[in-house]
Amino acid sequence: MHPILQLQNWLREEKDSGASLAQHAVLSTLGREGTPHARLVAIRDVEQEGLVFFTQSGTRKVAEIQQCPAVSLTFWFERFAREVIVEGECHLLSKAENAAYWQSYPKWAQLRFLSYAATSSQTIPDKRILEDKKIQLEKEYRQGEIPLSPHYCGCVVKPKRFVFYSFRTDALSDVIEYRLSSSQGYTWARLSP
Ligand SMILES: Cc1cc2nc3c(=O)[nH]c(=O)nc-3n(C[C@H](O)[C@H](O)[C@H](O)COP(=O)(O)O)c2cc1C
Protein backbone atom coordinates (compact mmCIF):
# COMPACT_ATOMS: atom_id res chain seq x y z
CA MET A 1 0.00 0.00 0.00
CA HIS A 2 1.23 3.54 -0.73
CA PRO A 3 2.12 5.11 2.63
CA ILE A 4 -0.10 8.11 1.96
CA LEU A 5 -3.11 5.73 1.79
CA GLN A 6 -2.08 4.32 5.15
CA LEU A 7 -1.89 7.87 6.57
CA GLN A 8 -5.32 8.66 5.08
CA ASN A 9 -6.73 5.48 6.71
CA TRP A 10 -5.32 6.35 10.11
CA LEU A 11 -6.62 9.94 9.80
CA ARG A 12 -10.08 8.62 8.92
CA GLU A 13 -10.11 6.20 11.85
CA GLU A 14 -8.99 8.94 14.26
CA LYS A 15 -11.66 11.36 12.99
CA ASP A 16 -14.36 8.66 13.05
CA SER A 17 -13.53 8.02 16.69
CA GLY A 18 -14.35 11.65 17.48
CA ALA A 19 -10.99 13.46 17.34
CA SER A 20 -11.80 16.94 16.01
CA LEU A 21 -8.21 18.15 15.39
CA ALA A 22 -6.75 14.95 13.96
CA GLN A 23 -5.56 16.67 10.79
CA HIS A 24 -2.89 18.71 12.59
CA ALA A 25 0.80 17.93 12.77
CA VAL A 26 3.90 19.31 14.42
CA LEU A 27 6.08 20.88 11.76
CA SER A 28 9.80 20.84 12.58
CA THR A 29 12.25 23.09 10.77
CA LEU A 30 15.87 24.06 11.16
CA GLY A 31 17.00 27.63 11.60
CA ARG A 32 20.39 29.16 11.04
CA GLU A 33 23.14 27.49 13.06
CA GLY A 34 21.03 24.33 13.23
CA THR A 35 18.57 25.58 15.85
CA PRO A 36 15.46 23.37 15.74
CA HIS A 37 11.98 24.83 15.96
CA ALA A 38 8.63 23.01 16.02
CA ARG A 39 5.02 24.16 15.96
CA LEU A 40 1.54 22.87 15.14
CA VAL A 41 -0.02 23.39 11.69
CA ALA A 42 -3.37 22.38 10.22
CA ILE A 43 -2.80 20.02 7.28
CA ARG A 44 -5.10 20.99 4.47
CA ASP A 45 -4.39 18.16 1.98
CA VAL A 46 -2.93 14.69 2.40
CA GLU A 47 -2.31 13.41 -1.13
CA GLN A 48 0.33 11.48 -3.05
CA GLU A 49 1.50 14.82 -4.50
CA GLY A 50 2.29 16.03 -0.99
CA LEU A 51 0.96 17.36 2.30
CA VAL A 52 -0.24 20.97 2.13
CA PHE A 53 -0.56 23.53 4.91
CA PHE A 54 -1.02 27.30 5.00
CA THR A 55 0.60 30.10 6.92
CA GLN A 56 1.60 33.76 6.68
CA SER A 57 4.50 34.61 4.40
CA GLY A 58 6.42 36.54 7.08
CA THR A 59 6.56 33.76 9.66
CA ARG A 60 9.64 32.09 11.06
CA LYS A 61 8.59 28.76 9.55
CA VAL A 62 8.59 30.24 6.02
CA ALA A 63 12.03 31.84 6.52
CA GLU A 64 13.39 28.53 7.82
CA ILE A 65 11.84 26.47 4.99
CA GLN A 66 13.42 28.83 2.47
CA GLN A 67 16.83 28.45 4.14
CA CYS A 68 16.53 24.69 4.62
CA PRO A 69 13.68 22.79 2.85
CA ALA A 70 14.25 19.59 4.87
CA VAL A 71 11.33 19.34 7.35
CA SER A 72 9.37 16.79 9.30
CA LEU A 73 5.68 16.57 10.18
CA THR A 74 4.62 14.54 13.22
CA PHE A 75 1.00 13.48 13.64
CA TRP A 76 -0.23 12.26 17.02
CA PHE A 77 -3.43 10.18 16.93
CA GLU A 78 -4.37 10.08 20.58
CA ARG A 79 -7.46 7.84 20.23
CA PHE A 80 -5.39 4.96 18.84
CA ALA A 81 -2.02 5.87 20.40
CA ARG A 82 -0.50 6.17 16.93
CA GLU A 83 2.26 8.40 15.63
CA VAL A 84 3.11 9.15 12.02
CA ILE A 85 6.35 10.91 11.12
CA VAL A 86 6.70 12.30 7.60
CA GLU A 87 10.11 13.56 6.48
CA GLY A 88 10.69 15.34 3.21
CA GLU A 89 11.31 18.56 1.37
CA CYS A 90 9.02 21.54 1.71
CA HIS A 91 8.37 24.13 -1.00
CA LEU A 92 6.15 27.19 -1.19
CA LEU A 93 3.12 27.05 -3.47
CA SER A 94 2.87 29.36 -6.48
CA LYS A 95 0.64 32.44 -6.46
CA ALA A 96 -1.86 30.65 -8.73
CA GLU A 97 -2.03 27.67 -6.36
CA ASN A 98 -2.48 29.97 -3.36
CA ALA A 99 -5.27 31.81 -5.20
CA ALA A 100 -7.13 28.55 -5.90
CA TYR A 101 -7.02 27.54 -2.22
CA TRP A 102 -7.92 31.08 -1.08
CA GLN A 103 -11.05 31.02 -3.22
CA SER A 104 -12.13 27.72 -1.66
CA TYR A 105 -12.03 29.28 1.84
CA PRO A 106 -15.26 30.43 3.53
CA LYS A 107 -15.48 34.21 3.92
CA TRP A 108 -15.17 34.08 7.73
CA ALA A 109 -11.82 32.26 7.40
CA GLN A 110 -10.53 34.77 4.84
CA LEU A 111 -11.51 37.65 7.15
CA ARG A 112 -9.84 36.00 10.13
CA PHE A 113 -6.63 35.51 8.12
CA LEU A 114 -6.66 39.16 6.99
CA SER A 115 -7.19 40.30 10.59
CA TYR A 116 -3.92 38.64 11.65
CA ALA A 117 -1.74 38.96 8.56
CA ALA A 118 1.01 40.05 8.39
CA THR A 119 1.63 40.22 12.13
CA SER A 120 2.01 36.57 13.22
CA SER A 121 4.32 36.26 16.24
CA GLN A 122 4.89 40.02 16.47
CA THR A 123 4.33 41.77 19.80
CA ILE A 124 0.96 43.55 19.99
CA PRO A 125 0.05 45.89 22.85
CA ASP A 126 -3.61 44.84 22.87
CA LYS A 127 -5.82 42.19 21.19
CA ARG A 128 -8.29 45.00 20.53
CA ILE A 129 -6.09 46.16 17.62
CA LEU A 130 -6.77 42.91 15.76
CA GLU A 131 -10.45 42.88 16.73
CA ASP A 132 -10.87 46.44 15.40
CA LYS A 133 -9.11 45.46 12.17
CA LYS A 134 -11.51 42.52 11.80
CA ILE A 135 -14.56 44.78 12.30
CA GLN A 136 -13.21 47.23 9.72
CA LEU A 137 -12.55 44.37 7.25
CA GLU A 138 -16.06 42.95 7.76
CA LYS A 139 -17.47 46.37 6.82
CA GLU A 140 -15.13 46.76 3.85
CA TYR A 141 -15.96 43.33 2.43
CA ARG A 142 -19.63 43.14 3.35
CA GLN A 143 -20.26 42.63 -0.34
CA GLY A 144 -18.21 41.01 -3.04
CA GLU A 145 -15.24 38.71 -3.06
CA ILE A 146 -12.22 39.15 -0.85
CA PRO A 147 -9.02 39.36 -2.92
CA LEU A 148 -6.11 37.01 -2.24
CA SER A 149 -4.00 38.24 0.67
CA PRO A 150 -0.37 38.84 -0.38
CA HIS A 151 0.59 37.18 2.93
CA TYR A 152 -1.33 33.94 2.28
CA CYS A 153 1.34 31.31 1.85
CA GLY A 154 0.81 27.63 1.07
CA CYS A 155 3.52 25.06 1.62
CA VAL A 156 3.76 21.51 0.30
CA VAL A 157 5.82 18.76 1.90
CA LYS A 158 7.01 16.12 -0.59
CA PRO A 159 7.60 13.01 1.53
CA LYS A 160 10.72 10.85 1.33
CA ARG A 161 10.24 8.80 4.49
CA PHE A 162 7.27 7.77 6.65
CA VAL A 163 7.24 6.05 10.04
CA PHE A 164 3.98 4.54 11.31
CA TYR A 165 4.18 3.80 15.02
CA SER A 166 1.38 1.87 16.80
CA PHE A 167 1.96 2.11 20.50
CA ARG A 168 0.62 -0.91 22.39
CA THR A 169 0.62 -1.95 26.02
CA ASP A 170 -1.15 -5.32 25.57
CA ALA A 171 1.63 -6.49 23.22
CA LEU A 172 4.82 -5.10 21.75
CA SER A 173 4.38 -1.99 19.61
CA ASP A 174 4.51 -2.06 15.78
CA VAL A 175 6.74 0.29 13.79
CA ILE A 176 6.80 0.33 9.98
CA GLU A 177 9.09 2.55 7.94
CA TYR A 178 8.60 3.50 4.26
CA ARG A 179 11.48 5.00 2.31
CA LEU A 180 11.27 6.50 -1.17
CA SER A 181 13.91 5.11 -3.51
CA SER A 182 14.51 6.55 -6.97
CA SER A 183 14.23 3.14 -8.69
CA GLN A 184 11.62 1.20 -6.68
CA GLY A 185 9.15 3.75 -5.35
CA TYR A 186 8.46 3.15 -1.66
CA THR A 187 10.10 0.20 0.10
CA TRP A 188 9.10 -0.73 3.62
CA ALA A 189 10.74 -2.35 6.63
CA ARG A 190 9.76 -3.25 10.17
CA LEU A 191 11.67 -1.32 12.82
CA SER A 192 12.14 -2.26 16.44
CA PRO A 193 10.10 -0.07 18.78
C1 LIG B 1 -4.60 24.05 16.76
C2 LIG B 1 -3.60 24.98 16.11
C3 LIG B 1 -3.56 25.07 14.74
C4 LIG B 1 -2.64 25.91 14.11
N1 LIG B 1 -2.63 25.94 12.75
C5 LIG B 1 -1.71 26.74 12.13
C6 LIG B 1 -1.61 26.71 10.71
O1 LIG B 1 -2.33 25.99 10.00
N2 LIG B 1 -0.70 27.54 10.15
C7 LIG B 1 0.12 28.35 10.89
O2 LIG B 1 0.92 29.08 10.31
N3 LIG B 1 0.07 28.37 12.23
C8 LIG B 1 -0.82 27.58 12.88
N4 LIG B 1 -0.89 27.58 14.25
C9 LIG B 1 0.04 28.45 14.99
C10 LIG B 1 1.46 27.82 14.96
O3 LIG B 1 1.49 26.66 15.77
C11 LIG B 1 2.57 28.81 15.40
O4 LIG B 1 2.46 29.13 16.76
C12 LIG B 1 2.59 30.08 14.57
O5 LIG B 1 2.26 29.84 13.23
C13 LIG B 1 3.98 30.75 14.61
O6 LIG B 1 4.91 29.84 14.07
P1 LIG B 1 6.41 30.26 13.60
O7 LIG B 1 6.74 31.55 14.26
O8 LIG B 1 7.26 29.15 14.10
O9 LIG B 1 6.40 30.34 12.13
C14 LIG B 1 -1.76 26.72 14.90
C15 LIG B 1 -1.80 26.61 16.28
C16 LIG B 1 -2.70 25.75 16.88
C17 LIG B 1 -2.69 25.66 18.40
Side-chain angles (χ1 to χ4, degrees):
M1 189 195 296
H2 191 289
I4 214 77
L5 299 178
Q6 176 72 7
L7 175 54
Q8 288 171 348
N9 285 344
W10 279 18
L11 268 169
R12 195 176 316 110
E13 286 172 3
E14 186 73 5
K15 288 177 192 172
D16 288 349
S17 77
S20 58
L21 297 179
Q23 206 155 315
H24 285 67
V26 175
L27 167 76
S28 299
T29 53
L30 270 188
R32 279 188 212 283
E33 292 143 26
T35 318
H37 188 55
R39 79 293 275 161
L40 204 64
V41 289
I43 306 297
R44 175 68 190 257
D45 284 340
V46 177
E47 301 295 341
Q48 294 195 13
E49 295 71 35
L51 290 89
V52 175
F53 62 89
F54 285 87
T55 188
Q56 294 177 34
S57 51
T59 54
R60 177 171 170 182
K61 65 180 85 53
V62 171
E64 292 185 347
I65 287 163
Q66 287 178 310
Q67 276 162 29
C68 173
V71 303
S72 74
L73 288 168
T74 305
F75 292 84
W76 163 234
F77 299 136
E78 196 258 340
R79 306 290 168 124
F80 288 87
R82 290 166 167 170
E83 174 192 55
V84 181
I85 301 169
V86 182
E87 293 171 357
E89 289 219 342
C90 188
H91 302 284
L92 307 190
L93 296 186
S94 67
K95 192 175 173 191
E97 288 167 319
N98 283 333
Y101 277 100
W102 178 260
Q103 277 152 22
S104 72
Y105 258 37
K107 202 166 184 176
W108 65 262
Q110 294 174 335
L111 286 168
R112 198 176 64 150
F113 184 90
L114 289 176
S115 307
Y116 299 151
T119 58
S120 177
S121 296
Q122 292 175 16
T123 306
I124 44 165
D126 198 320
K127 189 178 176 185
R128 188 86 227 159
I129 294 170
L130 300 180
E131 287 165 345
D132 288 347
K133 188 172 169 197
K134 186 160 177 276
I135 290 166
Q136 180 245 312
L137 286 162
E138 281 164 356
K139 278 191 203 143
E140 191 178 335
Y141 292 113
R142 189 161 290 146
Q143 279 170 12
E145 284 190 9
I146 304 180
L148 171 67
S149 165
H151 308 295
Y152 186 64
C153 180
C155 306
V156 58
V157 178
K158 303 273 186 186
K160 289 182 173 170
R161 178 174 182 258
F162 289 80
V163 177
F164 291 88
Y165 197 123
S166 281
F167 179 78
R168 297 181 63 175
T169 49
D170 58 334
L172 296 179
S173 301
D174 290 305
V175 189
I176 304 295
E177 176 195 56
Y178 292 82
R179 275 183 186 276
L180 186 60
S181 88
S182 48
S183 54
Q184 302 169 66
Y186 280 100
T187 57
W188 69 272
R190 177 174 287 275
L191 304 184
S192 169

